[in-house]
Amino acid sequence: MQNTSHKPRRRWHIAVFLAPAVLVYTAIMIFPLFNTLRLALYSESDQIRQFVGLANFETLFSNPNWSEQFWNALGNNFWFFFVHMLVQNPIGVALAAILSHPRLRFAALYRTAIFVPTILSFVIVGFAWKLILSPIWGITPDLLDAIGLKWLFTPWLGKEDYALTTLALISVWQFVGIPMMLIYAALLSIPEEVIEAGEVDGITGMAAFWKIKLPLILPSIGIISILTFVGNFNAFDLIYTTQGALAGPDFSTDILGTFMYRTFFGFQLQLGDPHMGSAIATAMFAIILIGVCIYLFGIQTRLRRYQF
């Protein structure tokens, strides 16, 4: 009797095609990550590197010379993130819902106009808004004066109470196109049969969005929330461009990215310390990892509730 069993074919071509991408990703992401973790466990004295374990983290969290700056930067990072969650993502969902309406004219033009700032350089955006909001040569005072609201103007980027929120709103303006396009794609993927079934039951207009569309796009909103969290805790460019490495005024816009930059590379009279800088970078990685894991655990718990 002929043996019809066959050994499973080894698909070596998959490994061949994946190898270049894996090598590049390892070289520019994995290796620097582990090297940063390694540097955080060492300290240098008189040009001699010594293993100190977790002493750098103890210094970062408990030494007043370091902890005050770290907790200030962490708090600013959370506020920067909350502004995006409370302003950017709801606006992105609202714009996607409006632009997905089949009877809206010039929808493609509106989508393009809203998405264009996303592809602009941080340097261009930072300097442009710094000029726009300048109390000396900016156009904002004249625009507010033209509508009788000049009394509302204040040098927002120059005041400690407003600078960070102003930068967060500038970032919202630049990146609101990303959640808009992701939600827009999710809305278009909803089967027409579902919408038509709702219309048969009398669910139309805003009711259709709240009762039918919104529950179906919640997974996309969850992904956007994760991207927002990771992106905002990796933020650096906009604040560095507008406020410099010192993140003024008086460190009111300092976030973990700028704090790590000053520590690792040094700035003005501050000498660079790669080991403490690596400790800050490791803390940033741990915060992002813990945040993402908590969110994924929440999603898994929620899915279990719907299992029968």
Side-chain angles (χ1 to χ4, degrees), residues 18-231:
L18 288 179
V22 171
L23 291 175
V24 171
Y25 188 80
T26 301
I28 66 176
M29 293 293 292
I30 303 299
F31 176 75
L33 173 62
F34 282 99
N35 193 44
T36 300
L37 299 177
R38 181 184 63 84
L39 284 176
L41 302 177
Y42 286 83
S43 182
E44 189 170 333
S45 178
D46 297 330
Q47 298 183 347
I48 299 177
R49 180 174 295 178
Q50 299 176 344
F51 179 81
V52 294
L54 300 178
N56 289 332
F57 297 97
E58 182 181 359
T59 300
L60 181 64
F61 298 141
S62 61
N63 189 320
N65 295 329
W66 291 93
S67 62
E68 183 177 352
Q69 296 184 69
F70 174 79
W71 295 117
N72 173 66
L74 180 60
N76 290 339
N77 248 131
F78 272 110
W79 177 247
F80 199 75
F81 164 68
F82 285 139
V83 171
H84 282 76
M85 284 294 296
L86 297 176
V87 179
Q88 173 185 276
N89 292 348
I91 291 178
V93 173
L95 290 173
I98 295 172
L99 296 177
S100 63
H101 196 282
R103 297 182 182 179
L104 179 66
R105 300 180 61 185
F106 307 113
L109 177 62
Y110 300 145
R111 290 197 304 270
T112 303
I114 295 172
F115 192 78
V116 161
T118 304
I119 63 177
L120 296 178
S121 167
F122 284 100
V123 177
I124 294 175
V125 172
F127 277 106
W129 277 100
K130 197 170 183 178
L131 292 174
I132 291 172
L133 298 177
S134 172
I136 300 175
W137 52 75
I139 64 172
T140 303
D142 295 332
L143 290 176
L144 291 176
D145 189 28
I147 58 177
L149 297 176
K150 189 175 182 179
W151 58 273
L152 289 176
F153 178 77
T154 186
W156 291 295
L157 290 177
K159 289 192 173 183
E160 297 179 23
D161 295 335
Y162 306 119
L164 183 62
T165 303
T166 302
L167 289 172
L169 293 176
I170 292 174
S171 179
V172 166
W173 168 83
Q174 183 179 9
F175 291 109
V176 71
I178 294 178
M180 179 198 70
M181 293 303 294
L182 292 175
I183 297 300
Y184 177 78
L187 289 172
L188 293 184
S189 66
I190 298 176
E192 288 293 333
E193 295 80 4
V194 177
I195 307 299
E196 293 174 357
E199 292 176 351
V200 171
D201 293 334
I203 304 176
T204 58
M206 288 298 297
F209 175 79
W210 289 107
K211 296 182 179 180
I212 299 177
K213 295 181 180 180
L214 184 60
L216 294 176
I217 64 173
L218 283 179
S220 298
I221 295 177
I223 296 298
I224 293 172
S225 300
I226 293 178
L227 295 176
T228 303
F229 180 79
V230 174

